[in-house]
Amino acid sequence: MLAARVPHALLLVGPPSVGKHALALDLAAALLCTGASGDARPCRACRGCRMVEHGNHPDLHLLAPTGPGNQIRIGEDQHPEPGTVRRLAVDLALLPVEGGERVAVVRDAQRMNDVAQSAMLKTLEEPPPRTTLVLCADDEELLLPTIRSRCARIRLGTVGIRDVERLLDELGLADAPTAARLARVAGGRPGLAVAYARSPEAERLRNELVRTLLDLLGRSRSERLGAARDLLATAMSLARALEPPVAAPADTPRRRGKAAAGPVADAEAPAPAQDAESATTDVATTEAEPGAADGAGKVSAAERRRALALLLDLWRDVARDLECAARGATASIRDVALLEELGAAARTLPPGAALEALERLIRAGELLDVNATPELVLDVLLIRWPRSDRAA
């Protein structure tokens, strides 16, 4: 595309943490680069590249979900606030500050509701001159057909396990055995593997959650429901542990000396931090939770939803590994450190129980995307989590 012509609208589609946002920012750097031409861009040394790297280029417009519902909002009609679809349209209607290209990157575009997508549609249909819009989405089916039809689609998939291991080794984040383990646990998602490698605490919390889920196979309904609060609190702590450092802009996805390092910074599993004015739950619902921020006793609705999404992600991995163990496909198990525990648990489950649980967990993720109540979703999943024959 850089050697010929970049479409005015691109849709990058793929699972979380495979590098969609990093690729979008690499493309933005190339389009705003003034030190090279054609497919030699970005040069990473010119003024434009440096500003993109530090996240302060005036012609790079970023849009991401915010607020309690973790949505991309449409914004007010007359005076749209920053971070909304209508404000983006207003900004793109102005002349470029640097006099060249303009790029808009929309992260988690599937978090736009139908009204916001309809507002975005007008910009996609009639984009201002020399403007490129890049939409990143985990699930394109959540986008309107009219949105998809106006974008050139690029699909990104998971990365080979060996490639993820090599990436961790090149960055000096893990030794060979640790890199191999994290690459398998991340399921070929380099952003997630890097996030775990940078935070030993995150890996500890993940292991705690996985062992708790396995232990709940032998627990009663009342015990499972009693564990719901601790599960969600631990998932909140895990989400915070996976967040990239926020002390310096250099640690944002725009810090890349090479295009090959793009997926490194794109740890999409932890979503962007939510605004400070997010709706919060009452202290009665989160009292004494280890995940409560700074002892304040209140947790934002967006944080609870994000924590459950992260919990569902690793819960699906547990169900998948249980089904692999039940079928004797031990070579396909991702969490090899729990090989014995998974095999012992799988032998106590009815045939196909783990597969049915996996299907329910996938459906639960879809319901969470359309704003189902996180606590209700978690309770139902815990009650319907398979029960071992030994417990029965």
Side-chain angles (χ1 to χ4, degrees), residues 25-47:
L25 292 175
D26 282 338
L27 179 60
L31 291 171
L32 298 171
C33 175
T34 58
S37 60
D39 57 4
R41 300 173 290 171
C43 69
R44 308 289 181 186
C46 68
R47 168 184 165 85

Side-chain angles (χ1 to χ4, degrees), residues 272-347:
Q274 307 301 326
D275 58 39
E277 298 181 0
S278 298
T280 57
T281 58
D282 187 77
V283 64
T285 64
T286 56
E287 183 180 359
E289 284 184 353
D294 301 323
K298 291 186 177 181
V299 178
S300 71
E303 190 173 7
R304 287 161 32 235
R305 187 173 297 276
R306 182 160 61 102
L308 181 56
L310 186 58
L311 176 60
L312 290 178
D313 185 58
L314 65 89
W315 202 342
R316 285 189 288 265
D317 285 344
V318 173
R320 176 193 176 279
D321 282 354
L322 281 172
E323 182 64 19
C324 288
R327 299 187 180 201
T330 54
S332 297
I333 291 178
R334 289 177 178 170
D335 203 338
V336 292
L338 296 176
L339 194 59
E340 292 184 6
E341 291 93 327
L342 288 166
R347 286 191 292 271

Side-chain angles (χ1 to χ4, degrees), residues 5 55 61 65 69 73 75 93 107 115 151 164 167-168 186 199 205 226 270 283 293 303 317 321 341 364-365 370 383:
R5 182 183 66 85
H61 305 273
R73 296 172 293 130
R107 184 168 191 161
V115 177
C151 299
V164 178
L167 177 64
L168 295 176
S199 175
L205 290 169
V283 64
E303 190 173 7
D317 285 344
D321 282 354
E341 291 93 327
V370 293
I383 291 174

Side-chain angles (χ1 to χ4, degrees), residues 248-265:
D251 267 328
T252 67
R254 290 168 288 282
R255 181 181 62 81
R256 292 185 304 282
K258 300 179 181 178
V264 175

Side-chain angles (χ1 to χ4, degrees), residues 28-250:
L31 291 171
L32 298 171
C33 175
T34 58
S37 60
D39 57 4
R41 300 173 290 171
C43 69
R44 308 289 181 186
C46 68
R47 168 184 165 85
C49 287
R50 292 198 307 271
M51 286 194 293
V52 171
E53 178 182 346
H54 292 94
N56 58 7
H57 198 294
D59 293 324
L60 174 59
H61 305 273
L62 305 176
L63 190 58
T66 58
N70 196 31
Q71 297 284 321
I72 297 178
R73 296 172 293 130
I74 184 174
E76 298 293 334
D77 189 15
Q78 297 298 324
H79 302 286
E81 58 273 34
T84 61
V85 172
R86 283 176 172 159
R87 179 58 178 268
L88 176 64
V90 170
D91 291 341
L92 293 178
L94 303 175
L95 292 174
V97 176
E98 295 291 315
E101 301 284 341
R102 282 175 301 181
V103 183
V105 175
V106 182
R107 184 168 191 161
D108 294 328
Q110 76 278 359
R111 301 302 302 173
M112 291 188 290
N113 59 28
D114 289 352
V115 177
Q117 290 187 47
S118 297
M120 175 70 72
L121 185 60
K122 184 175 182 180
T123 304
L124 291 175
E125 289 175 336
E126 302 175 4
R130 305 185 70 178
T131 298
T132 302
L133 292 97
V134 185
L135 279 62
C136 306
D138 297 344
D139 185 358
E140 64 177 312
E141 295 302 321
L142 296 177
L143 297 174
L144 295 175
T146 48
I147 292 284
R148 302 198 301 266
S149 65
R150 284 161 177 78
C151 299
R153 188 182 295 103
I154 298 179
R155 298 184 184 277
L156 282 74
T158 54
V159 182
I161 299 299
R162 297 297 182 189
D163 293 328
V164 178
E165 291 180 30
R166 192 179 304 113
L167 177 64
L168 295 176
D169 178 65
E170 291 174 356
L171 294 170
L173 292 175
D175 54 28
T178 303
R181 184 179 71 256
L182 293 179
R184 291 182 67 91
V185 166
R189 293 171 290 176
L192 186 57
V194 168
Y196 277 119
R198 285 175 172 166
S199 175
E201 176 67 8
E203 188 179 3
R204 184 191 69 78
L205 290 169
R206 182 193 183 279
N207 291 337
E208 179 182 334
L209 285 170
V210 170
R211 292 182 183 278
T212 299
L213 291 171
L214 290 176
D215 180 66
L216 288 175
L217 291 170
R219 300 296 178 177
S220 65
R221 287 186 174 184
S222 60
E223 290 174 317
R224 294 177 179 200
L225 292 176
R229 176 182 295 184
D230 289 339
L231 276 173
L232 196 58
T234 305
M236 289 177 189
S237 299
L238 175 58
R240 296 189 189 105
L242 286 172
E243 288 178 352
V246 295

